[in-house]
Amino acid sequence: MATHIESKEVLKMRLWRASLAILLIMILASAAATAGSSTPLAIVDGDTISSADLEQEIAIMKKMKDFEGEVVLPSAEDALHRLIQNRLIIQEGYRLGFDRKFTVANQVRETVRLKLVAALLDSIAATVPTSTPDLMSERRKAVDLYIDGLINHYHVEVDSTLLASLEYGSDDPQVKKRLRESEEVLAVLPSGSLSIRSLSMVIRFTEFHGLTGKPDADESRDRIFKEWLVEGLLSYEAKLHKLEQAPHIRRMARNLEENRVSEETLKSLLKFDFNPGEEEIEGFYRENLSAVTPSPRVKMQSVLLTNQKAAETFRGRLQVGAKLAWLKKVTKEVADGPPPFPADWFSPEKLGLRPEEVFVGSVPEPYEVPGNAWAVAIVDEIEQPVPLPLAECRGTMIQLMRQKATHDLMRENFRKLEEAADVLILPGAEELVEELLRGSQTTE
């Protein structure tokens, strides 16, 4: 009996310490949320656009740079205009009720729930001092002990016999029907009962191809059930401690909701019938021949030199009008052997030539080639490219037509939204935007 009382006291102490840690995490998060400053830039129909919105937009553009290569930051005027348009799209989405759409509300709710569970686990792990040997292992133990404590505290009992009877690997229609429809209870949490039917739904979401026919179906069933049970307990506990009221969680939820509302609004605004006729396609093709005209190829005269200094001198003389054939004869540093460039046509991009550098007489910078030699070349001839026939680029033309129609429709939508909105750009806003854009470039 003494041991039982002692274990209950230990359990109470462990849960009390955990609650204290959670409270501390919330206080620190709240302080961090209020520590940063944000300056208003504009007011759009009562909503304030701030420097924090701009910083978020800059972060997105930097992410795009990571995936798409160089992304040029807009001017201050364009950046501010983009922020205003973003807010107008969000406002239109709320007006249309997209925040109440199930796919939007459910995603926000689930994302916040998972974030709260993660925050709760982080707070428990943080109760282990960083100076503790084998820190990660000890933190995992602390989390496991906390979960065990919750199971005991809420007297959660699993019907292991019922769970073991669930044959998710079976393809028997009657077995599947039971798994799909049965309301038999596997366990009761403080938030409600965990039924067979609900477990089956979780498994369908977790295992994309299901467990039918899989040799490890029973092990997967038990693992998914345990994770589901633990997540349910932690979600309840996070709600009990009102973690969702933490400023950073509320801000995250609001940002996520606005992003999803914006996506739904754009999908709604960009719905249109697109079925161009043959005459339209042919007319668009004639107006956009440059889009299907390949870059001009070039022929080069070239020579190898034995060192960089001689190559740079050779290039300088070519640039002032000397002929390559004559220079080749009078330059002792010319290396023996065939020229480095073939006599055939080839793409100027292979030399790193920009379009404005593709002209007869253009001399690229010398570059080193294997064998410690340096190549110097001059553009000798430029091919006059021919546009692709419409029959060969019809798909590309239709895609470009759709892109233009989408762009024109979006521009018209923005015109209407801006015309109906009350927009006030605050004094000094553009200057502050310019300063923040410059600062973002210097920190890269």
Side-chain angles (χ1 to χ4, degrees), residues 381-402:
E381 192 176 347
I382 300 177
E383 179 187 43
Q384 294 302 317
V386 178
L388 292 173
L390 178 57
E392 294 182 21
C393 62
R394 181 183 177 84
T396 300
M397 280 294 113
I398 291 175
Q399 183 181 6
L400 291 174
M401 290 180 73
R402 181 183 285 276

Side-chain angles (χ1 to χ4, degrees), residues 284-285 287-294 387-388 393 396-397 400:
F284 188 84
Y285 169 74
E287 293 170 4
N288 295 273
L289 289 175
S290 60
V292 290
T293 302
L388 292 173
C393 62
T396 300
M397 280 294 113
L400 291 174

Side-chain angles (χ1 to χ4, degrees), residues 358-407:
V358 180
F359 59 88
V360 173
S362 174
V363 186
E365 292 280 349
Y367 70 93
E368 192 173 9
V369 298
N372 297 320
W374 288 79
V376 178
I378 183 170
V379 177
D380 186 50
E381 192 176 347
I382 300 177
E383 179 187 43
Q384 294 302 317
V386 178
L388 292 173
L390 178 57
E392 294 182 21
C393 62
R394 181 183 177 84
T396 300
M397 280 294 113
I398 291 175
Q399 183 181 6
L400 291 174
M401 290 180 73
R402 181 183 285 276
Q403 289 175 358
K404 183 178 184 305
T406 301
H407 179 267

Side-chain angles (χ1 to χ4, degrees), residues 28 121 169 186 330 415:
L28 292 175
L121 292 177
L186 293 162
V330 300
R415 185 192 67 76

Side-chain angles (χ1 to χ4, degrees), residues 298-302 339-346:
V298 298
K299 285 185 178 179
M300 309 284 288
Q301 291 185 41
S302 59
F341 292 100
D344 297 333
W345 296 107
F346 66 93

